[in-house]
Amino acid sequence: MKNIFKKRIIIPILAGVLFISTTAFKNDFFEIAKQIEIFTTLFKELNMNYVDETNPGDLMDTAIKSMLADLDPYTNFMNEQDVEAARINNTGDYTGIGAKIQTKKDKLIIIEPYKGYPADKAGLKAGDEIIKVGNTLIEGYEDYPGDLLKGAPDSSVEVVFKRQGKTQTATIKRAEVEIKAVPHFSMINDKTGYIVLSKFNKKAHAETNYALRDLKAQGAENIVLDLRGNPGGLLREAIKIVNLFVPKNQLVVTTKSKVKKYNRTYLTTDEPIDTEIPLVILIDGKSASASEIVSGALQDLDRAVIVGSRSFGKGLVQRPKILTYGTQVKITISRYYTPSGRCIQALDYWNRNEKGEAVKVKQENYNAFKTKNGRQVFDGGGVFPDAQVGSYKISPITTAIVNNNLIFDYATKYHYSHNISDINSLKLSDADFSDFKNYLKTNNFTFETDTEKALKKAYEIAQKEELNDNIDRDYNTLISNLNTSKTNIIDENKDYLLELLTKDIVKQYVYREGLYEYLEIHDNEIKKATNILATPTTYQGYLK
């Protein structure tokens, strides 16, 4: 009788829970269905009745991108072209001409030919502007013009290009192209090995493993792992790379999500290569995601000294979901946490300012955590280096200079106007920097600051209100002072700009491989790393 009574109580409770859960699901489902129906009818009416011709594909593309823009910059719709680009990024393999290319509306610009690959063998160089591929002109071509360079292995394509204003032709024989995760490793000195890990694709662990074993065989007693400029990639590769230096069953990262199945704890699963070899990791403001998992985990475990400048601060994990017609959506599914429990996400996309911009987590809101040895580390703003080197306060003006390709364009100009026999002797001078500033002027570089925009708006309002003529004089004075200030900001960023110029110039003379050899001699972060590793007490001092 008691059992029957218990069942009578339990069954209604379970039914109530089921009813509540089902009702909640139905409410969500109804709201989703309702909004889709509204959008579908709106989309139909708009395309049928709008006064001018509409392009349904363009309208839908805008609608999807606008919707996702309200979330975060990593939740993205991927068309078929994007899906293929993601595949290449993850695998590191494709068939083509073997060059990094920038697409513009009327040309394809060779940014970097890969040494020994088809574009390089055909004589193409950085700065060459491809204007025709086969019988197809790039100008006016409606599809993605970069696809014209792809094709079957051993197939040939003729390209017409401009170099320093002169039109030339070349025939390129396509081939399989392998983009290495580890483009370079070598011995810096007789005891220190240097590994550059540029991306976390499917080959990242295997190539880093090979480089580490090879360097140890050459006599390396210390390792410098360079993650600068590495934007991240596959999470599992990051965990495997941490595993090279720490024991099996060690916690590396935890992911937390509102969806229970995405809550995961990731431990190392293999036997390590070396848990004792002194290790320095180099990071900068472009080291993100998987780079921050590796550097953050090894910092928390006191297994490496971190050198450089604060990392980007991306503590979010994405997963692609397959859609119809070969498309995908990449969705942010969780946040990740390093072994100490910190999330290094720097921007808050869910509490934006009045302009709708994501705000940085304020330093006073950072939370303190402890490493394995009890050292204090913080969340909220990327991975902070143990030894800070090469940290620049980058202004919007210098960012605009980079984004407008003026660093690359000047490097190309420099390459064709300077004959350098020994690239390792290159050191840009004050005269070179002055020449660069003149180059900005002659190429009509302009950057309108937020201050200028606000002043312009105020001036226009003043004119409408017919205020006195003194405003004209004051406005012109303010604009003149702002232009002087902008010139001063460029001067204040001289070291940063010269560093970028030097790297691009070196690469144009001796490819990426030669750049790494140049950095081994001249780079301040590498020098700091080797100095730390040169003395065991100095190295251990950072970890205690």
Side-chain angles (χ1 to χ4, degrees), residues 293-312:
I293 290 174
V294 171
S295 55
L298 292 172
Q299 184 180 51
D300 283 0
L301 299 171
D302 294 302
R303 182 59 190 87
V305 175
I306 312 301
V307 172
S309 53
R310 187 175 77 177
S311 66
F312 181 81

Side-chain angles (χ1 to χ4, degrees), residues 299-300 310 338 340-345 363 365-371 375-384:
Q299 184 180 51
D300 283 0
R310 187 175 77 177
T338 62
S340 68
R342 57 181 169 148
C343 179
I344 49 78
Q345 178 64 26
Q363 192 164 346
N365 295 329
Y366 291 170
N367 298 300
F369 296 82
K370 297 288 186 181
T371 70
R375 295 186 299 139
Q376 200 172 54
V377 289
F378 297 91
D379 66 1
V383 175
F384 290 80

Side-chain angles (χ1 to χ4, degrees), residues 38 75 289 316 414-415 423:
I38 290 170
T75 298
S289 189
L316 305 174
Y414 189 98
H415 176 214
I423 195 63

Side-chain angles (χ1 to χ4, degrees), residues 227-330:
L227 297 179
R228 290 176 297 175
N230 186 324
L234 301 176
L235 174 65
R236 66 176 179 270
E237 294 296 304
I239 296 161
K240 287 181 179 180
I241 287 167
V242 172
N243 198 173
L244 296 173
F245 303 100
V246 303
K248 189 176 180 179
N249 295 321
Q250 171 63 58
L251 173 66
V252 176
V253 66
T254 303
T255 59
K256 297 179 183 179
S257 170
K258 73 172 186 179
V259 181
K260 190 175 180 180
K261 68 178 180 179
Y262 296 142
N263 293 336
R264 297 280 303 273
T265 298
Y266 295 90
L267 307 177
T268 53
T269 58
D270 302 317
E271 294 301 327
I273 300 300
D274 195 326
T275 61
E276 300 294 332
I277 191 167
L279 174 65
V280 169
I281 296 178
L282 305 182
I283 61 172
D284 63 11
K286 293 182 179 179
S287 304
S289 189
S291 292
E292 294 173 300
I293 290 174
V294 171
S295 55
L298 292 172
Q299 184 180 51
D300 283 0
L301 299 171
D302 294 302
R303 182 59 190 87
V305 175
I306 312 301
V307 172
S309 53
R310 187 175 77 177
S311 66
F312 181 81
K314 179 178 179 286
L316 305 174
V317 179
Q318 288 73 44
R319 176 169 293 186
K321 296 290 183 180
I322 296 173
L323 305 176
T324 56
Y325 298 102
T327 63
Q328 293 182 12
V329 60
K330 188 174 66 172

